[in-house]
Amino acid sequence: MTQSDPTDEALATIASILEYPQTPRGSEQPTTASPPIAPVGADGYTKIGPGPMAAIRFKWSVRRGENDEYYVDEMIGENSAPIVLGPMSAEAAIKMVDERESEARARFEQIRREMIARSPTAEAAEDVRRQGEV
């Protein structure tokens, strides 16, 4: 059995939701920006990835362990068990959180662009463009 990247699984879920949208429940709004929730120092530094639903959004949090070692807890959704990464320095932990969030945002935007390109409106525009070339 191969181990897959949890980011890929979450993005596949997001893509399927975007491809077959359902009526929104509650006041859940898609998130496209993730301002860092940054207390003083690395301990508690947190970022949340993009996505239409909190249940499938990534969250990364830095926490301090023993001997000035830091760990990054990576979670998918609000109630998942974290994947613990570390130990590392405070600077390395913050850098990892920033890189993971940036990678997740880039993958999300790529999937979003692909979904938009496959939409009926985009296909109709492409058909019109092709007819003009004939």
Side-chain angles (χ1 to χ4, degrees), residues 60-115:
W60 301 271
S61 296
V62 176
R63 64 179 167 82
R64 185 176 177 175
E66 297 177 11
N67 303 323
D68 283 334
E69 296 173 327
Y70 289 83
Y71 297 86
V72 174
D73 293 331
E74 181 177 61
M75 296 179 289
I76 302 172
E78 299 168 330
N79 300 315
S80 69
I83 297 170
V84 179
L85 308 164
M88 61 189 83
S89 69
E91 295 80 18
I94 290 172
K95 182 179 177 186
M96 176 178 277
V97 166
D98 290 343
E99 288 173 352
R100 294 278 178 121
E101 190 269 343
S102 178
E103 291 168 3
R105 184 161 312 290
R107 287 180 182 176
F108 178 81
E109 289 302 320
Q110 178 62 33
I111 289 173
R112 189 179 67 78
R113 285 190 297 273
E114 289 173 9
M115 299 301 294

Short mmCIF file of all heavy atoms in Angstrom, two decimals, residues 60-115:
data_model
loop_
_atom_site.label_atom_id
_atom_site.label_comp_id
_atom_site.label_asym_id
_atom_site.label_seq_id
_atom_site.Cartn_x
_atom_site.Cartn_y
_atom_site.Cartn_z
N TRP A 60 -2.01 24.45 9.95
CA TRP A 60 -0.67 24.17 10.47
C TRP A 60 -0.45 25.04 11.69
O TRP A 60 -0.69 26.25 11.66
CB TRP A 60 0.40 24.50 9.42
CG TRP A 60 0.23 23.73 8.15
CD1 TRP A 60 0.76 22.51 7.86
CD2 TRP A 60 -0.51 24.12 7.00
NE1 TRP A 60 0.39 22.12 6.61
CE2 TRP A 60 -0.38 23.09 6.05
CE3 TRP A 60 -1.27 25.24 6.67
CZ2 TRP A 60 -0.98 23.15 4.81
CZ3 TRP A 60 -1.88 25.30 5.44
CH2 TRP A 60 -1.73 24.27 4.51
N SER A 61 0.02 24.44 12.77
CA SER A 61 0.29 25.17 14.01
C SER A 61 1.65 24.75 14.55
O SER A 61 1.98 23.56 14.57
CB SER A 61 -0.77 24.87 15.07
OG SER A 61 -2.02 25.32 14.65
N VAL A 62 2.40 25.73 15.02
CA VAL A 62 3.69 25.47 15.65
C VAL A 62 3.48 25.41 17.15
O VAL A 62 2.75 26.22 17.72
CB VAL A 62 4.70 26.59 15.30
CG1 VAL A 62 6.03 26.36 16.02
CG2 VAL A 62 4.90 26.69 13.80
N ARG A 63 4.11 24.42 17.76
CA ARG A 63 4.08 24.34 19.23
C ARG A 63 5.47 24.02 19.73
O ARG A 63 6.26 23.38 19.06
CB ARG A 63 3.07 23.33 19.72
CG ARG A 63 3.35 21.91 19.33
CD ARG A 63 2.29 20.95 19.88
NE ARG A 63 2.42 19.67 19.26
CZ ARG A 63 3.30 18.74 19.63
NH1 ARG A 63 4.09 18.97 20.65
NH2 ARG A 63 3.37 17.59 18.99
N ARG A 64 5.72 24.50 20.93
CA ARG A 64 7.03 24.31 21.53
C ARG A 64 7.04 23.03 22.34
O ARG A 64 6.12 22.75 23.11
CB ARG A 64 7.35 25.49 22.44
CG ARG A 64 8.72 25.45 23.02
CD ARG A 64 8.97 26.70 23.82
NE ARG A 64 10.28 26.61 24.43
CZ ARG A 64 10.81 27.58 25.10
NH1 ARG A 64 10.16 28.71 25.27
NH2 ARG A 64 12.00 27.44 25.63
N GLY A 65 8.09 22.24 22.18
CA GLY A 65 8.29 21.02 22.95
C GLY A 65 9.35 21.27 24.02
O GLY A 65 9.60 22.40 24.42
N GLU A 66 9.97 20.21 24.43
CA GLU A 66 11.03 20.31 25.42
C GLU A 66 12.33 20.78 24.77
O GLU A 66 12.53 20.62 23.57
CB GLU A 66 11.25 18.95 26.08
CG GLU A 66 10.04 18.46 26.85
CD GLU A 66 10.27 17.08 27.43
OE1 GLU A 66 11.41 16.58 27.43
OE2 GLU A 66 9.28 16.49 27.88
N ASN A 67 13.21 21.34 25.58
CA ASN A 67 14.56 21.73 25.14
C ASN A 67 14.55 22.69 23.95
O ASN A 67 15.36 22.56 23.04
CB ASN A 67 15.39 20.49 24.79
CG ASN A 67 15.50 19.53 25.94
OD1 ASN A 67 15.60 19.94 27.10
ND2 ASN A 67 15.46 18.25 25.65
N ASP A 68 13.62 23.63 23.92
CA ASP A 68 13.51 24.62 22.85
C ASP A 68 13.39 23.99 21.46
O ASP A 68 13.88 24.52 20.47
CB ASP A 68 14.70 25.60 22.87
CG ASP A 68 14.55 26.63 23.96
OD1 ASP A 68 13.40 26.92 24.36
OD2 ASP A 68 15.59 27.16 24.41
N GLU A 69 12.75 22.84 21.39
CA GLU A 69 12.45 22.21 20.11
C GLU A 69 11.01 22.57 19.75
O GLU A 69 10.16 22.72 20.62
CB GLU A 69 12.59 20.68 20.22
CG GLU A 69 14.00 20.24 20.50
CD GLU A 69 14.07 18.75 20.78
OE1 GLU A 69 13.10 18.19 21.34
OE2 GLU A 69 15.09 18.16 20.44
N TYR A 70 10.77 22.70 18.46
CA TYR A 70 9.44 23.06 17.99
C TYR A 70 8.91 21.98 17.07
O TYR A 70 9.66 21.28 16.40
CB TYR A 70 9.48 24.41 17.27
CG TYR A 70 9.71 25.55 18.23
CD1 TYR A 70 10.98 25.89 18.65
CD2 TYR A 70 8.63 26.26 18.75
CE1 TYR A 70 11.19 26.91 19.56
CE2 TYR A 70 8.83 27.29 19.65
CZ TYR A 70 10.11 27.61 20.05
OH TYR A 70 10.30 28.62 20.95
N TYR A 71 7.58 21.86 17.06
CA TYR A 71 6.89 20.87 16.24
C TYR A 71 5.80 21.57 15.45
O TYR A 71 5.20 22.55 15.92
CB TYR A 71 6.26 19.79 17.13
CG TYR A 71 7.29 19.00 17.90
CD1 TYR A 71 7.77 19.45 19.12
CD2 TYR A 71 7.79 17.81 17.38
CE1 TYR A 71 8.72 18.73 19.82
CE2 TYR A 71 8.75 17.08 18.07
CZ TYR A 71 9.21 17.56 19.29
OH TYR A 71 10.17 16.84 19.96
N VAL A 72 5.53 21.06 14.27
CA VAL A 72 4.43 21.55 13.46
C VAL A 72 3.35 20.48 13.46
O VAL A 72 3.60 19.32 13.13
CB VAL A 72 4.88 21.86 12.01
CG1 VAL A 72 3.67 22.23 11.14
CG2 VAL A 72 5.91 22.97 11.99
N ASP A 73 2.14 20.87 13.86
CA ASP A 73 0.98 19.99 13.80
C ASP A 73 0.23 20.34 12.53
O ASP A 73 -0.23 21.46 12.35
CB ASP A 73 0.07 20.18 15.02
CG ASP A 73 0.71 19.74 16.31
OD1 ASP A 73 1.56 18.83 16.28
OD2 ASP A 73 0.37 20.30 17.37
N GLU A 74 0.12 19.36 11.63
CA GLU A 74 -0.59 19.54 10.36
C GLU A 74 -1.90 18.77 10.45
O GLU A 74 -1.89 17.57 10.70
CB GLU A 74 0.27 19.03 9.21
CG GLU A 74 -0.37 19.19 7.85
CD GLU A 74 0.55 18.73 6.74
OE1 GLU A 74 0.91 17.53 6.72
OE2 GLU A 74 0.89 19.55 5.89
N MET A 75 -3.02 19.48 10.27
CA MET A 75 -4.33 18.84 10.38
C MET A 75 -5.15 19.12 9.13
O MET A 75 -5.00 20.15 8.49
CB MET A 75 -5.07 19.39 11.61
CG MET A 75 -4.40 19.04 12.91
SD MET A 75 -5.27 19.70 14.33
CE MET A 75 -4.93 21.44 14.16
N ILE A 76 -6.04 18.18 8.83
CA ILE A 76 -7.01 18.37 7.76
C ILE A 76 -8.37 18.44 8.44
O ILE A 76 -8.80 17.49 9.08
CB ILE A 76 -6.99 17.21 6.75
CG1 ILE A 76 -5.61 17.06 6.14
CG2 ILE A 76 -8.04 17.45 5.66
CD1 ILE A 76 -5.45 15.83 5.27
N GLY A 77 -9.03 19.58 8.32
CA GLY A 77 -10.31 19.75 8.99
C GLY A 77 -10.12 20.16 10.43
O GLY A 77 -9.01 20.29 10.94
N GLU A 78 -11.24 20.37 11.08
CA GLU A 78 -11.22 20.91 12.45
C GLU A 78 -10.96 19.87 13.51
O GLU A 78 -10.42 20.17 14.56
CB GLU A 78 -12.55 21.61 12.72
CG GLU A 78 -12.80 22.77 11.78
CD GLU A 78 -14.23 23.27 11.85
OE1 GLU A 78 -15.13 22.47 12.14
OE2 GLU A 78 -14.43 24.46 11.61
N ASN A 79 -11.35 18.64 13.28
CA ASN A 79 -11.29 17.63 14.34
C ASN A 79 -10.40 16.44 14.03
O ASN A 79 -10.56 15.39 14.63
CB ASN A 79 -12.72 17.14 14.64
CG ASN A 79 -13.61 18.27 15.09
OD1 ASN A 79 -13.22 19.08 15.91
ND2 ASN A 79 -14.81 18.33 14.55
N SER A 80 -9.46 16.60 13.12
CA SER A 80 -8.60 15.48 12.77
C SER A 80 -7.41 15.39 13.72
O SER A 80 -7.04 16.36 14.36
CB SER A 80 -8.09 15.62 11.33
OG SER A 80 -7.19 16.69 11.23
N ALA A 81 -6.85 14.20 13.80
CA ALA A 81 -5.62 14.02 14.58
C ALA A 81 -4.47 14.64 13.78
O ALA A 81 -4.37 14.44 12.57
CB ALA A 81 -5.37 12.54 14.82
N PRO A 82 -3.60 15.39 14.43
CA PRO A 82 -2.52 16.04 13.68
C PRO A 82 -1.43 15.08 13.25
O PRO A 82 -1.18 14.08 13.91
CB PRO A 82 -1.97 17.07 14.67
CG PRO A 82 -2.27 16.49 16.01
CD PRO A 82 -3.58 15.74 15.85
N ILE A 83 -0.82 15.42 12.14
CA ILE A 83 0.42 14.78 11.73
C ILE A 83 1.50 15.67 12.33
O ILE A 83 1.54 16.87 12.08
CB ILE A 83 0.55 14.74 10.19
CG1 ILE A 83 -0.57 13.90 9.59
CG2 ILE A 83 1.92 14.23 9.77
CD1 ILE A 83 -0.68 14.00 8.09
N VAL A 84 2.36 15.09 13.15
CA VAL A 84 3.36 15.87 13.88
C VAL A 84 4.68 15.83 13.11
O VAL A 84 5.18 14.76 12.78
CB VAL A 84 3.55 15.33 15.30
CG1 VAL A 84 4.62 16.14 16.05
CG2 VAL A 84 2.23 15.35 16.07
N LEU A 85 5.21 17.00 12.83
CA LEU A 85 6.47 17.14 12.11
C LEU A 85 7.49 17.81 13.03
O LEU A 85 7.20 18.85 13.60
CB LEU A 85 6.26 17.98 10.85
CG LEU A 85 5.13 17.51 9.94
CD1 LEU A 85 4.75 18.59 8.95
CD2 LEU A 85 5.53 16.25 9.22
N GLY A 86 8.65 17.24 13.17
CA GLY A 86 9.66 17.84 14.03
C GLY A 86 10.43 16.78 14.77
O GLY A 86 10.24 15.59 14.51
N PRO A 87 11.29 17.14 15.64
CA PRO A 87 11.59 18.48 16.18
C PRO A 87 12.44 19.31 15.22
O PRO A 87 13.13 18.77 14.35
CB PRO A 87 12.36 18.17 17.45
CG PRO A 87 13.05 16.88 17.19
CD PRO A 87 12.12 16.11 16.28
N MET A 88 12.37 20.63 15.41
CA MET A 88 13.13 21.57 14.60
C MET A 88 13.26 22.88 15.35
O MET A 88 12.66 23.04 16.42
CB MET A 88 12.43 21.77 13.25
CG MET A 88 11.03 22.34 13.35
SD MET A 88 10.10 22.33 11.80
CE MET A 88 9.48 20.66 11.79
N SER A 89 14.02 23.79 14.79
CA SER A 89 14.16 25.11 15.41
C SER A 89 12.89 25.92 15.18
O SER A 89 12.06 25.59 14.32
CB SER A 89 15.36 25.85 14.80
OG SER A 89 15.08 26.19 13.45
N ALA A 90 12.75 27.01 15.92
CA ALA A 90 11.60 27.89 15.76
C ALA A 90 11.53 28.44 14.34
O ALA A 90 10.47 28.48 13.71
CB ALA A 90 11.64 29.03 16.77
N GLU A 91 12.68 28.87 13.81
CA GLU A 91 12.72 29.44 12.46
C GLU A 91 12.33 28.40 11.42
O GLU A 91 11.59 28.70 10.48
CB GLU A 91 14.12 29.98 12.15
CG GLU A 91 14.54 31.16 13.01
CD GLU A 91 15.05 30.75 14.40
OE1 GLU A 91 15.41 29.55 14.60
OE2 GLU A 91 15.06 31.60 15.29
N ALA A 92 12.83 27.18 11.59
CA ALA A 92 12.49 26.11 10.63
C ALA A 92 11.01 25.77 10.70
O ALA A 92 10.38 25.50 9.67
CB ALA A 92 13.33 24.87 10.91
N ALA A 93 10.43 25.79 11.89
CA ALA A 93 9.00 25.49 12.04
C ALA A 93 8.14 26.54 11.34
O ALA A 93 7.20 26.21 10.61
CB ALA A 93 8.63 25.38 13.51
N ILE A 94 8.47 27.80 11.54
CA ILE A 94 7.72 28.88 10.89
C ILE A 94 7.88 28.79 9.38
O ILE A 94 6.91 28.93 8.62
CB ILE A 94 8.17 30.26 11.42
CG1 ILE A 94 7.69 30.43 12.86
CG2 ILE A 94 7.63 31.39 10.55
CD1 ILE A 94 8.23 31.65 13.56
N LYS A 95 9.10 28.52 8.92
CA LYS A 95 9.35 28.39 7.49
C LYS A 95 8.53 27.24 6.91
O LYS A 95 7.95 27.35 5.83
CB LYS A 95 10.84 28.18 7.23
CG LYS A 95 11.19 28.09 5.76
CD LYS A 95 12.68 27.91 5.56
CE LYS A 95 12.96 27.76 4.07
NZ LYS A 95 14.34 27.44 3.79
N MET A 96 8.47 26.12 7.63
CA MET A 96 7.71 24.96 7.15
C MET A 96 6.23 25.30 7.03
O MET A 96 5.58 24.98 6.02
CB MET A 96 7.87 23.76 8.07
CG MET A 96 7.03 22.57 7.65
SD MET A 96 7.26 21.14 8.68
CE MET A 96 8.73 20.48 7.91
N VAL A 97 5.67 25.98 8.02
CA VAL A 97 4.26 26.37 7.98
C VAL A 97 4.01 27.27 6.78
O VAL A 97 3.06 27.07 6.02
CB VAL A 97 3.84 27.06 9.30
CG1 VAL A 97 2.49 27.75 9.15
CG2 VAL A 97 3.80 26.05 10.44
N ASP A 98 4.88 28.25 6.58
CA ASP A 98 4.71 29.17 5.45
C ASP A 98 4.81 28.44 4.11
O ASP A 98 4.02 28.69 3.20
CB ASP A 98 5.75 30.29 5.52
CG ASP A 98 5.50 31.27 6.66
OD1 ASP A 98 4.37 31.28 7.21
OD2 ASP A 98 6.44 32.01 7.00
N GLU A 99 5.77 27.51 4.00
CA GLU A 99 5.93 26.77 2.75
C GLU A 99 4.74 25.84 2.48
O GLU A 99 4.26 25.77 1.34
CB GLU A 99 7.23 25.96 2.78
CG GLU A 99 8.46 26.80 2.64
CD GLU A 99 9.75 26.02 2.83
OE1 GLU A 99 9.70 24.83 3.23
OE2 GLU A 99 10.82 26.61 2.60
N ARG A 100 4.28 25.14 3.51
CA ARG A 100 3.15 24.23 3.32
C ARG A 100 1.90 25.01 2.91
O ARG A 100 1.15 24.59 2.03
CB ARG A 100 2.87 23.43 4.60
CG ARG A 100 3.97 22.48 4.99
CD ARG A 100 3.84 21.18 4.20
NE ARG A 100 4.91 20.27 4.51
CZ ARG A 100 4.75 19.06 5.00
NH1 ARG A 100 3.56 18.58 5.24
NH2 ARG A 100 5.79 18.29 5.23
N GLU A 101 1.66 26.14 3.55
CA GLU A 101 0.49 26.95 3.22
C GLU A 101 0.60 27.48 1.80
O GLU A 101 -0.36 27.46 1.03
CB GLU A 101 0.34 28.09 4.23
CG GLU A 101 -0.97 28.86 4.12
CD GLU A 101 -0.89 30.06 3.19
OE1 GLU A 101 0.22 30.51 2.86
OE2 GLU A 101 -1.96 30.53 2.79
N SER A 102 1.78 27.91 1.41
CA SER A 102 2.00 28.42 0.06
C SER A 102 1.78 27.32 -0.99
O SER A 102 1.15 27.56 -2.03
CB SER A 102 3.41 29.00 -0.05
OG SER A 102 3.65 29.46 -1.35
N GLU A 103 2.31 26.12 -0.73
CA GLU A 103 2.12 25.00 -1.65
C GLU A 103 0.64 24.62 -1.77
O GLU A 103 0.15 24.37 -2.87
CB GLU A 103 2.91 23.78 -1.18
CG GLU A 103 4.41 23.94 -1.31
CD GLU A 103 5.19 22.85 -0.57
OE1 GLU A 103 4.57 21.92 0.01
OE2 GLU A 103 6.43 22.94 -0.56
N ALA A 104 -0.07 24.59 -0.65
CA ALA A 104 -1.49 24.25 -0.67
C ALA A 104 -2.28 25.30 -1.45
O ALA A 104 -3.17 24.97 -2.24
CB ALA A 104 -2.04 24.13 0.75
N ARG A 105 -1.94 26.56 -1.26
CA ARG A 105 -2.62 27.64 -1.99
C ARG A 105 -2.36 27.52 -3.49
O ARG A 105 -3.28 27.66 -4.30
CB ARG A 105 -2.13 28.99 -1.48
CG ARG A 105 -2.84 30.17 -2.11
CD ARG A 105 -2.70 31.43 -1.32
NE ARG A 105 -2.95 31.29 0.09
CZ ARG A 105 -4.14 31.06 0.65
NH1 ARG A 105 -5.20 30.95 -0.12
NH2 ARG A 105 -4.28 30.94 1.94
N ALA A 106 -1.12 27.22 -3.87
CA ALA A 106 -0.80 27.08 -5.30
C ALA A 106 -1.56 25.90 -5.91
O ALA A 106 -2.11 26.02 -7.01
CB ALA A 106 0.71 26.89 -5.48
N ARG A 107 -1.62 24.78 -5.21
CA ARG A 107 -2.37 23.62 -5.72
C ARG A 107 -3.86 23.93 -5.82
O ARG A 107 -4.52 23.57 -6.80
CB ARG A 107 -2.17 22.41 -4.82
CG ARG A 107 -0.81 21.79 -4.95
CD ARG A 107 -0.68 20.62 -4.03
NE ARG A 107 0.64 20.03 -4.11
CZ ARG A 107 1.03 19.04 -3.36
NH1 ARG A 107 0.23 18.51 -2.46
NH2 ARG A 107 2.25 18.55 -3.48
N PHE A 108 -4.40 24.61 -4.82
CA PHE A 108 -5.81 24.97 -4.83
C PHE A 108 -6.12 25.89 -6.01
O PHE A 108 -7.10 25.69 -6.73
CB PHE A 108 -6.19 25.65 -3.51
CG PHE A 108 -7.62 26.10 -3.45
CD1 PHE A 108 -8.62 25.19 -3.15
CD2 PHE A 108 -7.97 27.41 -3.71
CE1 PHE A 108 -9.95 25.59 -3.10
CE2 PHE A 108 -9.29 27.81 -3.66
CZ PHE A 108 -10.28 26.91 -3.36
N GLU A 109 -5.27 26.89 -6.23
CA GLU A 109 -5.49 27.82 -7.35
C GLU A 109 -5.38 27.11 -8.68
O GLU A 109 -6.14 27.40 -9.60
CB GLU A 109 -4.51 28.99 -7.26
CG GLU A 109 -4.80 29.94 -6.11
CD GLU A 109 -6.20 30.54 -6.18
OE1 GLU A 109 -6.67 30.89 -7.29
OE2 GLU A 109 -6.82 30.64 -5.11
N GLN A 110 -4.45 26.16 -8.81
CA GLN A 110 -4.32 25.40 -10.05
C GLN A 110 -5.59 24.58 -10.32
O GLN A 110 -6.11 24.57 -11.43
CB GLN A 110 -3.09 24.48 -10.00
CG GLN A 110 -2.92 23.62 -11.24
CD GLN A 110 -2.70 24.42 -12.50
OE1 GLN A 110 -2.09 25.49 -12.46
NE2 GLN A 110 -3.19 23.93 -13.61
N ILE A 111 -6.09 23.91 -9.31
CA ILE A 111 -7.33 23.13 -9.47
C ILE A 111 -8.49 24.05 -9.79
O ILE A 111 -9.31 23.75 -10.66
CB ILE A 111 -7.62 22.30 -8.20
CG1 ILE A 111 -6.61 21.16 -8.11
CG2 ILE A 111 -9.04 21.76 -8.21
CD1 ILE A 111 -6.70 20.38 -6.81
N ARG A 112 -8.56 25.20 -9.13
CA ARG A 112 -9.63 26.16 -9.39
C ARG A 112 -9.58 26.62 -10.84
O ARG A 112 -10.61 26.67 -11.53
CB ARG A 112 -9.51 27.34 -8.43
CG ARG A 112 -10.70 28.29 -8.48
CD ARG A 112 -10.54 29.43 -7.50
NE ARG A 112 -9.46 30.31 -7.85
CZ ARG A 112 -9.52 31.25 -8.80
NH1 ARG A 112 -10.61 31.39 -9.50
NH2 ARG A 112 -8.49 32.02 -9.05
N ARG A 113 -8.38 26.93 -11.35
CA ARG A 113 -8.25 27.36 -12.76
C ARG A 113 -8.68 26.23 -13.71
O ARG A 113 -9.34 26.48 -14.71
CB ARG A 113 -6.82 27.80 -13.05
CG ARG A 113 -6.49 29.17 -12.49
CD ARG A 113 -5.15 29.68 -13.00
NE ARG A 113 -4.02 28.85 -12.59
CZ ARG A 113 -3.36 29.00 -11.45
NH1 ARG A 113 -3.72 29.93 -10.59
NH2 ARG A 113 -2.34 28.21 -11.17
N GLU A 114 -8.28 25.00 -13.39
CA GLU A 114 -8.67 23.87 -14.23
C GLU A 114 -10.19 23.68 -14.23
O GLU A 114 -10.78 23.39 -15.26
CB GLU A 114 -7.98 22.60 -13.75
CG GLU A 114 -6.50 22.58 -14.03
CD GLU A 114 -5.79 21.39 -13.41
OE1 GLU A 114 -6.47 20.47 -12.88
OE2 GLU A 114 -4.55 21.37 -13.44
N MET A 115 -10.81 23.85 -13.07
CA MET A 115 -12.26 23.70 -12.97
C MET A 115 -12.96 24.79 -13.77
O MET A 115 -13.93 24.52 -14.48
CB MET A 115 -12.71 23.74 -11.51
CG MET A 115 -12.14 22.63 -10.65
SD MET A 115 -12.55 20.99 -11.22
CE MET A 115 -14.29 20.99 -10.96
#
